[in-house]
Amino acid sequence: VTETDNTYDIGDAAKVLGRCGRNTLFKKLRQENVLMQNRSPYQRFINNGMFKVVIDEKSLYSKTVVTGKGLQHIQKLLEE
C-alpha cells in the first residue's frame, strides 16, 4: 500500500481498514492527536506523507485525505 499514489478520504479509509466507521475513525484520530478538532491533520503528519489536505475547487472547502503510508499508521493505531 505504501508505494501507491492513491489517497483515500476518511470514510473510504475506514472502509478499507474495516475496523470502524467514518465518525469513529475521526474520533480515534482526534484522541490520538493525529487530527485537530477541525478534522485537519497536524503538520507533522502532512510532512511525514501520511495525510494531505486538498481543496475542492467547486466549494473551496478543504478535505483531509489519507495516503498509503497513513493507512498503515492508522491500522497500527487501531490495533492498540
Side-chain angles (χ1 to χ4, degrees):
V1 174
T2 305
E3 292 83 21
T4 65
D5 287 336
N6 294 336
T7 58
Y8 306 88
D9 68 22
I10 298 293
D12 289 339
K15 288 177 189 174
V16 168
L17 295 171
R19 302 287 301 257
C20 60
R22 179 183 72 101
N23 292 342
T24 304
L25 184 55
F26 270 122
K27 182 178 177 181
K28 176 71 172 174
L29 293 175
R30 283 193 302 269
Q31 289 172 345
E32 295 291 333
N33 293 315
V34 175
L35 296 181
M36 295 180 258
Q37 288 300 319
N38 65 359
R39 298 182 173 180
S40 294
Y42 285 97
Q43 189 65 45
R44 67 182 175 271
F45 295 103
I46 295 172
N47 293 346
N48 287 338
M50 295 180 187
F51 293 87
K52 293 181 181 180
V53 177
V54 296
I55 305 295
D56 180 5
E57 294 189 18
K58 292 180 183 176
S59 64
L60 298 178
Y61 287 104
S62 63
K63 180 178 180 178
T64 298
V65 294
V66 184
T67 65
K69 186 176 180 181
L71 278 178
Q72 288 183 332
H73 180 71
I74 293 170
Q75 187 171 21
K76 288 178 187 175
L77 289 176
L78 293 175
E79 290 172 357
E80 293 178 352

